[in-house]
Every structure is written in C-alpha cells, then in structure tokens.
Amino acid sequence: MTAPPQLTGARRRLVEELRHKGIRSEAVLDAIAKTPRHVFVPTGVAHRAYEDSALPIGSGQTISQPYVHARSLELAAITPTDTVLEVGTGSGYQSALLGALAGTVYSIETVAPLADRAREALRLAGTTNVHVIVGDGSAGWAANAPYDAIIVSAAAPSVPAPLVSQLAEGGRLVVPVGDREAQRLILATRRGTRIVQSDGEPVRFVPLLGEHGWSA
Ligand code: SAH
C-alpha cells in the first residue's frame, strides 16, 4: 500500500528518532520505514500514527510505542527464514513488522474483535505471511512449534513455561516480566537444555491474561 507523501515523510522522521534513541538494527529500522502504522490505529488517532507514543486501539487495549516494538524486535534478532510466534496481536502493527522480518508469523490474540480488525489491517498493508489466531497465547501455540523467536506483547507475572518449551534450538523469547504496573523486557535464549536469560530495560505493558498470565 502506498502512503500519502506527508505520511511517508513522518515515517522517515520516526525512523530517525528511533535511530537517535539507540535502535541499531537496520533490518528493524527498514521494517518500520516500510510499514504503514496509520493503517493499524483507529482513524481518530491516525494523525498521530508516526509519533513515538502508545495509542488507544479500543477494547481497553493499546498499540505499543514504536520504540518498544523496535527494541523487542531487535532483541529477538529475527532473520528472514524464521518462524515466529507473537502473543498479543492487538492492532496487528507489530505482526506486520514481524512479517517484514521473518518467514512465517503466527500471532495469537484473546479478543476476537481485535483479531478481526488486525487481519483486515494486515490485508490493507499487503502483509501475507502472518496468520492471526484467536486464543490464549499465554500457553503459546503448540500446533506450529518450535519457533525461532517468540515475542510477547503483554506483561507476564513470570516467564511462561510453555513458551520456553516451544522455542527451537537457539530460539529467542522476548517477554515483559514483572507486576501489573511495571516490568522488565526479558530475553531468554535456548542453548540445548539450558535457557540463558538476560534482564532488559524497564517497560510498561497491559497484562497478559490467561492460564500462564494474570487472572482477569
Ligand atoms: N503489539 C500489539 C500490542 C497490543 S496490547 C500492538 O502493537 O498493537 C497487548 C495485547 O495482548 C492486547 O490486544 C490483549 O488483548 C492481548 N492479550 C492479553 N492476554 C493475552 C493472551 N493470553 N493471549 C493472547 N493475547 C493476549
């Protein structure tokens, strides 16, 4: 989909802002440069689509700040042949970024109307390698496991065990872990039978609900 020229300019400025804030992955910056974020936000806030800020998307949920998406994607170190699981489709914007970076993406969302809207936005954005599933992603999605990367877009009380078990050898799991108010972005990598975990920067996500998340 071709964006109006003023949006293209705004998107270019967003990419420069993210670079300035420390995003180093050219692949991630390139994905952001070519993905129309305005398609994934409600029309009422579309004029703010290229600000580096979180925005409301309905059903009490938010599309994350582009910097947070960029950081999560950078940590996940996605390559073009990867099979990726995203937990928390929300608007579908990060799913589109994943689609630009990976081979195949499965994205799971609990709220069916959000999943429907995300599918439509992905279609408008021209993304064809993202499959949106309605379900509880706190248990992962065993049907298509193992995954080279798993990105969780909602905050978990601890690293959900099923997600770790669905990682391929060398697979990366990026998940915000903490309490309901504040979390840290954790990177867990599978090395044989070991899981190597590093503690990242402070973030704030909406809660991951479900069997391996918070109860509503
Ligand atoms: N990356 C998304 C962020 C959406 S907010 C975006 O850019 O728009 C997090 C999303 O996680 C919400 O849509 C919420 O409904 C969803 N969610 C919460 N718990 C979930 C679960 N157990 N399984 C799947 N999705 C979940």
Side-chain angles (χ1 to χ4, degrees), residues 67-77 94 151-152 174 185 205:
Y67 174 80
V68 172
H69 282 146
R71 198 58 201 124
S72 304
L73 293 165
E74 192 166 64
L75 283 174
Q94 180 171 264
I151 295 197
V152 184
V174 178
L185 205 52
F205 279 81

Side-chain angles (χ1 to χ4, degrees), residues 8-186:
T8 308
R11 206 184 299 162
R12 205 176 322 115
R13 281 192 294 280
L14 172 63
V15 168
E16 289 319 309
E17 186 176 345
L18 296 176
R19 201 189 289 279
H20 185 73
K21 288 179 175 171
I23 302 302
R24 293 282 167 268
S25 164
E26 289 302 326
V28 169
L29 292 169
D30 194 49
I32 290 170
K34 65 184 188 202
T35 304
R37 192 172 184 252
H38 63 278
V39 167
F40 294 89
V41 301
T43 44
V45 291
H47 63 288
R48 299 185 56 201
Y50 298 100
E51 290 176 13
D52 188 24
S53 50
L55 294 169
I57 56 169
S59 304
Q61 302 299 335
T62 51
I63 178 171
S64 306
Q65 182 191 355
Y67 174 80
V68 172
H69 282 146
R71 198 58 201 124
S72 304
L73 293 165
E74 192 166 64
L75 283 174
I78 291 156
T79 67
T81 55
D82 282 355
T83 298
V84 177
L85 176 68
E86 178 187 44
V87 177
T89 314
S91 66
Y93 174 63
Q94 180 171 264
S95 327
L97 296 176
L98 285 168
L101 291 164
T104 307
V105 180
Y106 298 94
S107 183
I108 182 159
E109 170 60 54
T110 33
V111 181
L114 284 179
D116 289 342
R117 251 180 283 154
R119 276 192 202 101
E120 176 60 9
L122 286 161
R123 192 186 64 74
L124 288 171
T127 302
T128 54
N129 58 344
V130 175
H131 309 278
V132 178
I133 301 151
V134 175
D136 175 9
S138 74
W141 183 250
N144 301 98
Y147 302 100
D148 301 299
I150 301 178
I151 295 197
V152 184
S153 286
S158 57
V159 177
L163 298 187
V164 174
S165 69
Q166 289 171 27
L167 281 179
E169 172 57 25
R172 291 84 54 204
L173 165 64
V174 178
V175 53
V177 174
D179 57 32
R180 279 178 180 254
E181 275 70 48
Q183 308 91 33
R184 278 185 181 274
L185 205 52
I186 303 279

